Amino acid sequence: DTGVSQDPRHKITKRGQNVTFRCDPISEHNRLYWYRQTLGQGPEFLTYFQNEAQLEKSRLLSDRFSAERPKGSFSTLEIQRTEQGDSAMYLCASSLEVGQFGFGPGTRLTVT
Amino acid sequence: AQSVTQLDSHVSVSEGTPVLLRCNYSSSYSPSLFWYVQHPNKGLQLLLKYTSAATLVKGINGFEAEFKKSETSFHLTKPSAHMSDAAEYFCVVSSDGSSNTGKLIFGQGTTLQVKP
């Protein structure tokens, strides 16, 4: 069963460094989403791709954040000049149609 | 705009007793509603979903939820709690209005504790 995979699972970085996370969706899924989950909260929507097009970005996604999905398959989320407030679990999800989601295990980012 | 409110941040039950996790929603459209569970250090797992078919929705592991439009509620129930049900539960609405992105909007979560 090839579900949504994310890499790395954990990342510890110093404040000010850049980090990049990767998400591999379920192979036939054309929709891909990034969410952020902080401790004790529900996941919050960051951005959405349909195939390679980034169709929606949350106001949470500051200009330090950039996401790509160059060939409509895997996606990357980059955070530049990390801040301690960026510490969170970053979740990726994919779907073929509305309502049929698969979630990845997440990348836990700790900024020291 | 769509939103969900989970009325309890923490629920504690004894093993073998019923579970009730409460959720109210707000939606401009006919909503799609979900319950997800998150066990420690594990990914989000779909328990059940409502998409305008039967108002009583059966999910995995004995969970059910009833869509009540008049009360704008979608409460999650289970007749008898198991220790393995201890986890974080999220009520979720899908933003599938005119934008049709299908993005999910999560509640704040309810921590279910099951005591032996």
Side-chain angles (χ1 to χ4, degrees), chain B residues 51-99:
Chain B
T51 54
S52 75
T55 56
L56 182 61
V57 183
K58 293 186 184 298
I60 62 172
N61 300 336
F63 284 95
E64 293 184 347
E66 186 171 7
F67 174 73
K68 291 187 176 180
K69 186 174 180 179
S70 60
E71 298 176 10
T72 61
S73 69
F74 190 58
H75 301 334
L76 182 71
T77 60
K78 182 173 180 178
S80 176
H82 295 162
M83 296 297 293
S84 60
D85 293 328
E88 189 80 9
Y89 290 80
F90 294 100
C91 183
V92 183
V93 63
S94 175
S95 168
D96 53 0
S98 59
S99 67

Side-chain angles (χ1 to χ4, degrees), chain A residues 33 35 41 56 100-101, chain B residues 38 49 101-104 108:
Chain A
Y33 305 80
Y35 290 83
Q41 302 294 318
E56 186 170 346
Q100 302 287 345
F101 287 85
Chain B
Q38 189 175 40
K49 66 177 181 179
T101 64
K103 70 184 182 188
L104 300 181
Q108 296 290 83

Side-chain angles (χ1 to χ4, degrees), chain B:
Chain B
Q2 287 86 357
S3 66
V4 288
T5 302
Q6 292 183 243
L7 301 175
D8 307 290
S9 59
H10 189 99
V11 169
S12 180
V13 301
S14 297
E15 190 176 20
T17 64
V19 176
L20 170 64
L21 304 183
R22 299 182 296 162
C23 172
N24 285 351
Y25 71 90
S26 172
S27 177
S28 306
Y29 307 94
S30 227
S32 294
L33 293 160
F34 310 79
W35 276 96
Y36 278 84
V37 62
Q38 189 175 40
H39 286 92
N41 300 315
K42 294 198 174 176
L44 285 159
Q45 181 182 20
L46 179 66
L47 279 178
L48 50 81
K49 66 177 181 179
Y50 166 78
T51 54
S52 75
T55 56
L56 182 61
V57 183
K58 293 186 184 298
I60 62 172
N61 300 336
F63 284 95
E64 293 184 347
E66 186 171 7
F67 174 73
K68 291 187 176 180
K69 186 174 180 179
S70 60
E71 298 176 10
T72 61
S73 69
F74 190 58
H75 301 334
L76 182 71
T77 60
K78 182 173 180 178
S80 176
H82 295 162
M83 296 297 293
S84 60
D85 293 328
E88 189 80 9
Y89 290 80
F90 294 100
C91 183
V92 183
V93 63
S94 175
S95 168
D96 53 0
S98 59
S99 67
N100 200 29
T101 64
K103 70 184 182 188
L104 300 181
I105 299 166
F106 286 75
Q108 296 290 83
T110 298
T111 303
L112 176 64
Q113 180 187 22
V114 183
K115 297 178 288 188

Side-chain angles (χ1 to χ4, degrees), chain A residues 50-97:
Chain A
Q50 185 159 334
N51 300 311
E52 66 276 9
Q54 188 175 19
L55 297 184
E56 186 170 346
K57 289 166 49 172
S58 162
R59 284 190 292 265
L60 293 174
L61 216 64
S62 77
D63 56 7
R64 296 184 298 105
F65 288 69
S66 62
E68 294 182 343
R69 194 182 183 197
K71 296 182 181 178
S73 56
F74 73 91
S75 176
T76 58
L77 177 68
E78 181 183 15
I79 309 173
Q80 296 182 325
R81 305 180 304 280
T82 52
E83 301 173 355
Q84 286 188 321
D86 297 331
S87 295
M89 177 75 84
Y90 290 85
L91 296 167
C92 178
S94 70
S95 74
L96 184 58
E97 58 185 62

